[in-house]
Amino acid sequence: MKLTLLIAGSILALFSFLPLIRTTLWWIRVLDFPRVHVAVFLSAILVVFLAYYGVGNATEGAIVVVWAIAILNELRYIFPFTPLAPKEPLRTEQHQRRHSFSIMISNVRMTNTKYQKFLDLVLAQDPDMVVINEPNAAWHDYVCKELD
């Protein structure tokens, strides 16, 4: 069990540090995404290792320190997405339409035929720009006829 924890922890620590390399190689960049998983599993391995085996020698102490640094490295990327982090874009209390514009983005899907319901929403919101994802020719014809 000790060997399994050491191997799993070392692999997860490697998963934490490999994305620090500035490269576009996919097998490194893919490790940018499972940060929460790596942090949780590595934390569990660290707790289990310390609870069952403790730090017996300098090598194990160094491994535990590397694991702790790997966990902190992952938390560095996770923290901005938690409710604990301050919100960067603060909402303004001033509503000055002359200094802003509005965009409405809608995924209408080709199979959807509720053209008028969509147009009613667009006309009610009155956006400056409308972006429609996945329209077909029927959507194009209907929307262009009504909004032009």
Side-chain angles (χ1 to χ4, degrees):
M1 169 117 162
K2 185 175 184 178
L3 182 62
T4 303
L5 290 173
L6 287 170
I7 291 171
S10 299
I11 290 171
L12 289 171
L14 184 66
F15 285 179
S16 175
F17 295 128
L18 273 177
L20 297 176
I21 299 171
R22 292 185 182 265
T23 182
T24 57
L25 295 172
W26 72 267
W27 59 273
I28 292 178
R29 293 284 54 98
V30 74
L31 297 172
D32 285 331
F33 300 101
R35 295 213 182 265
V36 173
H37 303 84
V38 170
V40 168
F41 290 138
L42 193 52
S43 297
I45 288 171
L46 180 62
V47 167
V48 169
F49 184 83
L50 290 175
Y52 280 98
Y53 305 108
V55 178
N57 56 40
T59 304
E60 289 177 0
I63 290 171
V64 166
V65 168
V66 169
W67 290 352
I69 292 171
I71 292 167
L72 290 174
N73 180 51
E74 294 301 312
L75 292 177
R76 173 176 71 124
Y77 291 101
I78 297 168
F79 177 75
F81 300 99
T82 66
L84 302 174
K87 292 187 169 98
E88 289 182 26
L90 301 175
R91 295 210 177 263
T92 181
E93 298 299 323
Q94 302 171 358
H95 296 287
Q96 299 176 355
R97 283 193 59 95
R98 63 188 175 121
H99 296 299
S100 64
F101 67 96
S102 60
I103 300 175
M104 177 182 276
I105 302 173
S106 180
N107 188 347
V108 296
R109 298 188 69 166
M110 288 188 247
T111 57
N112 182 359
T113 58
K114 299 177 183 170
Y115 310 120
Q116 192 58 49
K117 187 174 181 180
F118 172 74
L119 283 174
D120 292 342
L121 181 63
V122 170
L123 295 173
Q125 296 296 319
D126 191 29
D128 296 316
M129 182 185 298
V130 177
V131 178
I132 303 173
N133 295 328
E134 297 188 41
N136 56 13
W139 270 99
H140 177 267
D141 295 341
Y142 195 88
V143 170
C144 286
K145 177 180 67 172
E146 296 293 325
L147 294 180
D148 278 343

